[in-house]
Amino acid sequence: MSVKLNQIIQIIETHAPEKLAEDWDNVGLQVGSRQQIIKRILLTLDITAEVVDEAVKKQADLIIAHHPFIFNGLKTLSTDWEKGQIIAQLIKNDVAVYVAHTNLDKAARGLNHYLAEIMGLEKIKTLEPSNPTAYYKLVVFTPVEASPKIIEVLGKNGAGAIGDYDYCTYRSPGTGTFRPLEGAKPFIGDLNKLTSVSEDRIEAIVAAPDLKNLIAALKRNHPYEEMAYDVIALENGGLINENGLGKIGVLSQPMDAADFIANTKERLGLVALRGAGKVPDIVRRVAICSGAGADMIGLAKAKRADVLITGDLKHHDGQRALENNIWVLDAGHYGTEKWVTNCFQQILTAGLADACPEMIVAETARDFIVNY
Ligand SMILES: [Zn+2]
């Protein structure tokens, strides 16, 4: 099947909005046009000359990568150096490049969530929540008979979504009063007469991006000419936000350290696994952070993780693990992030279903670090 590149970008950005990316990062469309028709996609962690050759050979129209290929400002497109040659080859062959990096790392159901699932973790939570969404409490007053419809509109438009639940609302009965003035066309009551009505006060939490559409939908469905409602700012955003770096969860079957090492190597498909710090007797609570996540050592300890799995561990990170009395396993930057191709596949298959273009994983993408 084929779709416009724009549709592919929209699906990825629904999962991993660009605004989640770190300020220093460079994500999004790096080469090509959103209007391009895409029939075949090559998925990769990194973009190298070999990966671009492979894309051209396999007639891919798009490369989706995790690590930005154009990172710091380009000063020249001269083909006398490798980056210039790669860009020239991409443009000559109409191959677009799209990158989702720290936005995918930090997405609630991005790369780290995928990794946590591979590791068989349950009760997965974000290790370091960030970029909190602002939330509001929306209160709507409605005649009792209209309450079911109003609750339906609230739920359908994203209000009351909390964790694994939606349509979470609270309703309390009361009496509303109003007096229709000249020009009014009241649903209940007569002109210039004070009217009392049995009403429900219905309240639900709503994320800021959903608020405007929700109020418009409520006004379309509310029986009153003038809908009475309150919008109250909340501090919940930082508390219920699941975007952010790393994940933490529990193993359904706690195991000893030796079994956990074997289990991790098998699940992540690793030939080598390095470790540091205090080895626990039993592993139950596991923190994970793809790429270089040694900065999470203190946080993993504070959140009572028995082990932190990450990559790129340095000598002094090992010392910090020891000082923090926590076990850290280094599965490698590549070892933790090669899974990004599966993560992209999962997102696009779910988002585009039958319309999804063919996806292939780059065979030439590899770990730059070699174990001898
Ligand atoms: Zn990385």
Side-chain angles (χ1 to χ4, degrees):
M1 294 299 286
S2 63
V3 291
K4 263 194 187 170
L5 176 48
N6 199 36
Q7 274 176 273
I8 294 171
I9 293 175
Q10 279 173 356
I11 299 289
I12 297 177
E13 287 191 354
T14 313
H15 274 76
E18 279 189 25
K19 67 176 190 313
L20 287 183
E22 298 284 349
D23 293 340
W24 49 261
D25 206 358
N26 188 30
V27 301
L29 187 60
Q30 301 211 315
V31 177
S33 158
R34 284 177 173 258
Q35 305 310 318
Q36 240 168 294
I37 299 295
I38 307 298
K39 290 188 188 139
R40 189 172 294 152
I41 306 170
L42 187 78
L43 304 169
T44 183
L45 173 60
D46 296 286
I47 294 181
T48 60
E50 292 82 35
V51 168
V52 173
D53 280 345
E54 186 181 341
V56 171
K57 214 174 285 165
K58 293 183 175 169
Q59 295 179 310
D61 318 286
L62 168 67
I63 299 175
I64 302 182
H66 185 49
H67 290 142
F69 159 66
I70 299 171
F71 204 51
N72 301 314
L74 277 175
K75 294 252 165 55
T76 169
L77 284 177
S78 161
T79 49
D80 289 336
W81 64 309
E82 186 166 294
K83 196 146 265 187
Q85 289 160 12
I86 291 177
I87 294 172
Q89 204 191 357
L90 288 164
I91 291 172
K92 272 186 203 160
N93 291 283
D94 266 340
V95 181
V97 170
Y98 180 80
V99 168
H101 188 213
T102 48
N103 48 329
L104 188 67
D105 289 334
K106 294 164 78 180
R109 288 190 174 254
L111 178 58
N112 280 292
H113 192 271
Y114 189 85
L115 274 177
E117 283 188 328
I118 293 180
M119 285 303 301
L121 302 187
E122 296 176 351
K123 299 181 182 168
I124 301 166
K125 293 273 171 208
T126 299
L127 192 57
E128 188 185 55
S130 61
N131 302 79
T133 305
Y135 278 84
Y136 294 99
K137 167 68 68 71
L138 181 65
V139 183
V140 185
F141 300 88
T142 179
V144 175
E145 62 273 19
S147 295
K149 189 174 188 185
I150 293 300
I151 289 171
E152 186 61 30
V153 175
L154 285 165
K156 252 191 195 165
N157 287 277
I162 304 174
D164 292 334
Y165 297 82
D166 59 6
Y167 285 79
C168 301
T169 65
Y170 185 82
R171 180 173 11 168
S172 47
T175 304
T177 65
F178 54 86
R179 190 173 68 159
L181 301 175
E182 284 312 320
K185 293 183 187 119
F187 174 67
I188 305 168
D190 300 318
L191 284 185
N192 296 314
K193 269 196 185 155
L194 187 63
T195 307
S196 295
V197 184
S198 291
E199 289 186 342
D200 277 335
R201 172 194 164 103
I202 304 172
E203 39 194 287
I205 194 168
V206 55
D210 298 330
L211 183 65
K212 212 170 154 191
N213 283 344
L214 173 63
I215 290 176
L218 283 168
K219 283 185 173 174
R220 283 197 302 274
N221 287 280
H222 198 286
Y224 288 172
E225 199 174 7
E226 296 293 344
M227 178 177 86
Y229 66 99
D230 302 328
V231 177
I232 303 160
L234 298 177
E235 297 291 335
N236 299 42
L239 304 174
I240 62 178
N241 166 49
E242 282 300 322
N243 292 323
L245 278 177
K247 294 285 173 188
I248 184 163
V250 293
L251 295 172
S252 58
Q253 295 288 329
M255 57 185 84
D256 66 25
D259 283 348
F260 187 74
I261 289 170
N263 181 59
T264 304
K265 286 172 86 169
E266 194 191 322
R267 284 178 182 262
L268 296 182
L270 303 168
V271 287
L273 186 59
R274 303 192 306 156
K278 162 92 186 328
V279 182
D281 295 333
I282 294 291
V283 180
R284 184 167 188 276
R285 232 169 131 70
V286 178
I288 191 156
C289 185
S290 64
D295 286 351
M296 297 285 176
I297 287 174
L299 191 58
K301 174 69 185 174
K303 294 203 170 179
R304 295 176 292 107
D306 300 309
V307 62
L308 166 68
I309 300 172
T310 187
D312 283 351
L313 216 58
K314 293 181 189 153
H315 177 79
H316 293 293
D317 300 325
Q319 185 179 10
R320 213 145 38 87
L322 207 58
E323 287 167 357
N324 277 276
N325 214 18
I326 183 173
W327 195 29
V328 184
L329 289 176
D330 184 345
H333 198 117
Y334 182 83
T336 52
E337 294 199 333
K338 64 183 175 185
W339 297 98
V340 76
T341 56
N342 300 55
C343 186
F344 282 133
Q345 269 175 327
Q346 197 182 56
I347 290 170
L348 291 176
T349 307
L352 292 167
D354 291 345
C356 194
E358 183 190 351
M359 290 183 280
I360 46 180
V361 174
E363 287 170 39
T364 46
R366 60 191 156 84
D367 195 346
F368 300 131
I369 307 294
V370 180
N371 293 299
Y372 295 107

